[in-house]
Amino acid sequence: MRRLFPVTDQTPRPEGPRPEGGSRPRGGGPADRPGGHPAAFEDREWSLDELAEAYAYPEIGPDGHWLRANMVSTLDGAAQHEGRSQPISSDTDMRVFGTLRALADVVIAGAETVRQEGYRPARAREAFAARRAAAGQGPAPAIAVVTAGADLDYSLPLFTSPLVPTLLVTGAGAPADKVAEASRAGAEIVVAGDGAAVDPVRAVRELAARGLRRQLTEGGPRLLGQFVAADVLDELCLTISPMLTAGDAQRIAGGPAVAVPHRLAPASVLEEAGFLFTSYRRI
């Protein structure tokens, strides 16, 4: 992996003694660069700690919160292939996916995405344990499922055996029997709407009120479209997959168009094997 933006040091690596055999190492560690950043031309596998630094949440005030999205898209705009994101992903994309989860207080997903992607509880990862403890976080993020109908399989491990209780984010008008079933299965109910539908603004605020202020949504497209339309999305972490699929797959965000397009500013661009790992933040 190499950093394309922002470039912190474009100075070529100084010539030095070649190791026995005549070849020079391809790249150095982050300590070789001012500020601890690898230079743009270095192409090597980054450690999980380096990825965590690259994707660290910004400072959040005591009453604030930060909602970022993590999505993948092909060059021709497909967010899925045959209904799933895995075919357009890569091993490194999954490392970024895991890192973003490990930094979050809560992972927010729509009910249909939970069904299609076979969501399981987030797990504790030793590589991030010290970082999470220093940030005052528990061992793993909570999973929050956004749903109006609450029509889910509550016998799945996501609800019966999570490390931290799964949250069901729904409206006050959601089917009472389904909500009661979710509660019996161990889910915590978060009411974020007066009818059955969830109000994106209220959802973000209700989760933050529970101390879940570092927020990550993994979609799907319909949920992300709702967050975009409500103008509550602070950051988009988008992996651009060097693939073409054609077909009629969904884009990363769906639903009604916003009246005025929301403009974000690039914060970071990483590259590996043709995949671009981008981060854009609200201006």
Side-chain angles (χ1 to χ4, degrees):
M1 177 174 282
R2 57 191 178 131
R3 183 187 297 277
L4 302 183
F5 178 83
V7 178
T8 57
D9 181 7
Q10 300 186 53
T11 306
R13 190 180 180 85
E15 290 291 330
R18 293 178 182 270
E20 194 165 339
S23 62
R24 182 176 290 108
R26 191 171 187 182
D32 297 325
R33 295 291 170 242
H37 295 292
F41 64 83
E42 292 182 326
D43 190 1
R44 59 186 173 79
E45 182 175 293
W46 283 21
S47 68
L48 292 176
D49 193 54
E50 287 174 290
L51 286 175
E53 288 294 330
Y55 284 101
Y57 277 84
E59 289 293 327
I60 303 174
D63 298 321
H65 48 74
W66 187 268
L67 175 63
R68 65 168 33 149
N70 179 29
M71 302 292 283
V72 59
S73 171
T74 63
L75 295 173
D76 53 350
Q80 305 163 339
H81 183 62
E82 296 182 341
R84 300 183 67 237
S85 59
Q86 188 277 331
I88 62 173
S89 181
S90 70
D91 289 344
T92 300
D93 183 44
M94 295 310 298
R95 292 183 82 225
V96 171
F97 173 91
T99 299
L100 291 175
R101 277 195 163 203
L103 297 174
D105 296 327
V106 61
V107 178
I108 310 169
E112 188 59 25
T113 296
V114 168
R115 297 186 195 100
Q116 289 184 350
E117 301 285 350
Y119 264 51
R120 298 183 64 83
R123 59 189 177 90
R125 299 182 61 186
E126 183 61 31
F128 297 98
R131 185 179 292 271
R132 290 188 65 85
Q137 296 172 300
I143 303 292
V145 184
V146 177
T147 175
D151 186 15
L152 293 153
D153 184 352
Y154 295 107
S155 67
L156 295 175
L158 178 61
F159 297 100
T160 61
S161 57
L163 191 60
V164 293
T166 294
L167 305 169
L168 191 78
V169 184
T170 192
D177 58 333
K178 290 292 184 181
V179 173
E181 184 182 355
S183 184
R184 287 194 299 270
E188 294 186 2
I189 311 303
V190 179
V191 177
D194 295 329
V198 172
D199 177 352
V201 176
R202 282 185 59 179
V204 168
R205 289 177 179 170
E206 290 292 339
L207 291 172
R210 291 172 172 253
L212 305 174
R213 301 189 299 125
R214 303 175 189 89
Q215 301 170 354
L216 169 68
T217 179
E218 297 170 351
R222 183 170 173 235
L223 179 62
L224 180 55
Q226 292 171 353
F227 283 137
V228 170
D231 196 21
V232 294
L233 187 70
D234 299 297
E235 180 181 2
L236 173 62
C237 297
L238 176 64
T239 296
I240 301 174
S241 172
M243 301 180 188
L244 297 169
T245 63
D248 57 358
Q250 288 180 292
R251 297 162 48 197
I252 64 167
V258 297
V260 179
H262 301 166
R263 182 162 183 171
L264 305 180
S268 174
V269 181
L270 311 176
E271 185 273 339
E272 184 177 277
F275 283 80
L276 297 178
F277 305 93
T278 73
S279 170
Y280 288 83
R281 292 183 172 182
R282 68 162 61 242
I283 297 174

